Amino acid sequence: MIARGIMLGPNQPMILHLLDIAPATEALNGVKMELPDAAFPLLKDITETCKDVNIAIMLGGFPRKEGMERKDMMSKNVPIYKEQASALEEHAASDCKVLVVANPANTNALILKEFAPSIPEKNITCLTRLDHNRALSQIAERIKVYVTDVKNVIIWGNHSSTQYPEANHATVTSINGERPVKELDTDDLWLKNEFINTVQQRGTAIIKARKASSVLSAASAPCDHMLDWVLGTPKGIWLSMGAYFDGSYGIPKDIIYSFPVKCEKGKWSIVKGLKIDEFSRAKMDAIAKDLIDEKEVAHSCLN
């Protein structure tokens, strides 16, 4: 997808820097052999360093396994992201844009931010675009429209089963104009229950169905995230992005949290002034508490 221009547009030549841990070296070499075989016109070179990278997509991490406590998982991931942050701090371009995909994505991104202080804090993000895309598709399926007709859902908080997918500000565009989702689907019970639960548990449902994690959608979402961040979001449309924000909407500043953002000229800005009802407030605050607790667990692993 990247080499075809899906992530940065059809006119951006690139050098791919591919790194992995030692046990995966043989498989990575296979990937490096196949990329030239595809004769991608945008792919100019492949290397195994992170020197001068402008974009870093961090896929590596230790997944939570059955029976593991949260601290057990964090004790594995904290040193990984401390080491990767140090490498980026030393070798990456000063304007490097970072996207953390591996879970727990929010806290992994926070650790990376702390150990790569020369990278601007606004350039360190985590992925909630997969959940954002899932929310768009669930509404489109429910209302029976094309997914491109739906816009401005929000994923508040984190990429986990405690995230809060919200459709209060989402709209649908048709030949009759643009209308709020809540006008087209007046079943408030669906929006506050089944819709939220389906988006939260979609990854688990896919694992159950195919006996493995999401692949195509999980690869597409980082491309969407970066494309909008680098080239900008269309007017009137926002995306969900986990980043180090400014305390907007009453959320503490010292965590990585997903908000609605719009992008222009390679920079993002938070969508301001959205009305937050009591139901949403409670969900958003609960996620913030979870992320603060997770941050404390991560710091205890550092100590």
Side-chain angles (χ1 to χ4, degrees):
M1 287 181 173
I2 295 171
R4 282 189 180 278
I6 301 298
M7 190 176 85
L8 296 174
N11 302 310
Q12 178 59 61
M14 68 192 71
I15 299 169
L16 285 180
H17 301 246
L18 305 178
L19 294 90
D20 211 330
I21 57 176
T25 301
E26 188 174 352
L28 185 61
N29 285 336
V31 174
K32 288 173 61 182
M33 292 168 66
E34 280 210 87
L35 283 165
D37 290 352
F40 295 114
L42 296 174
L43 183 59
K44 300 307 178 186
D45 197 7
I46 305 169
T47 181
E48 293 184 8
T49 74
C50 59
K51 181 174 174 56
D52 298 330
V53 294
N54 303 107
I55 291 174
I57 300 178
M58 320 301 285
L59 301 174
F62 193 91
R64 188 170 184 173
K65 298 183 177 180
E66 188 175 357
M68 286 183 67
E69 297 294 331
R70 183 163 59 175
K71 185 169 183 177
D72 297 328
M73 179 180 63
M74 293 306 306
S75 68
K76 299 283 189 181
N77 278 288
V78 165
I80 291 173
Y81 275 84
K82 180 180 177 181
E83 183 176 357
Q84 293 187 8
S86 300
L88 289 175
E89 173 72 11
E90 183 175 353
H91 300 292
S94 60
D95 63 347
C96 181
K97 288 177 165 59
V98 181
L99 171 60
V100 176
V101 176
N103 287 320
N106 296 62
T107 302
N108 286 343
L110 187 66
I111 295 298
L112 190 146
K113 184 192 82 69
E114 292 182 6
F115 287 94
S118 69
I119 297 177
E121 60 184 30
K122 291 194 75 168
N123 279 19
I124 295 175
T125 66
C126 75
L127 187 72
T128 53
R129 184 58 178 267
L130 176 55
D131 310 293
H132 184 100
N133 289 348
R134 287 167 171 167
L136 291 173
S137 70
Q138 288 300 312
I139 290 172
E141 186 177 323
R142 171 80 174 181
I143 299 177
K144 294 181 171 42
V145 296
Y146 294 118
V147 72
T148 50
D149 295 331
V150 185
K151 67 179 184 180
N152 298 349
V153 296
I154 303 171
I155 303 298
W156 296 102
N158 56 352
H159 175 60
S160 82
S161 60
T162 61
Q163 65 179 258
Y164 172 42
E166 189 229 289
N168 292 336
H169 309 283
T171 62
V172 172
T173 303
S174 68
I175 57 173
N176 297 318
E178 188 173 303
R179 294 178 62 188
V181 167
K182 295 189 76 171
E183 283 186 11
L184 295 168
D185 191 330
T186 57
D187 186 352
D188 201 44
L189 193 62
W190 181 81
L191 287 171
K192 288 184 175 179
N193 291 278
E194 187 178 340
F195 167 67
I196 294 173
N197 293 335
T198 299
V199 176
Q200 287 177 337
Q201 300 297 329
R202 187 67 167 182
T204 301
I206 289 171
I207 290 173
K208 184 177 180 180
R210 66 183 301 270
K211 313 307 180 196
S213 297
S214 305
V215 178
L216 176 60
S217 57
S220 180
C223 293
D224 292 341
H225 177 110
M226 279 296 177
L227 181 72
D228 285 339
W229 189 3
V230 173
L231 298 184
T233 47
K235 185 177 180 180
I237 294 179
W238 62 66
L239 61 96
S240 300
M241 177 188 289
Y244 200 71
F245 287 95
D246 57 4
S248 295
Y249 295 104
I251 301 301
K253 291 192 291 185
D254 56 350
I255 55 176
I256 303 278
Y257 195 97
S258 179
F259 283 87
V261 304
K262 53 189 176 181
C263 303
E264 185 178 6
K265 296 179 179 178
K267 299 183 182 298
W268 56 260
S269 60
I270 190 168
V271 177
K272 301 275 191 177
L274 299 177
K275 184 178 179 181
I276 306 298
D277 60 21
E278 290 185 11
F279 180 85
S280 296
R281 180 80 269 160
K283 294 280 189 185
M284 292 161 64
D285 289 346
I287 298 168
K289 182 180 182 305
D290 282 348
L291 288 171
I292 290 170
D293 291 344
E294 193 167 273
K295 174 187 173 183
E296 291 174 355
V297 171
H299 282 167
S300 73
C301 294
L302 281 172
N303 296 332

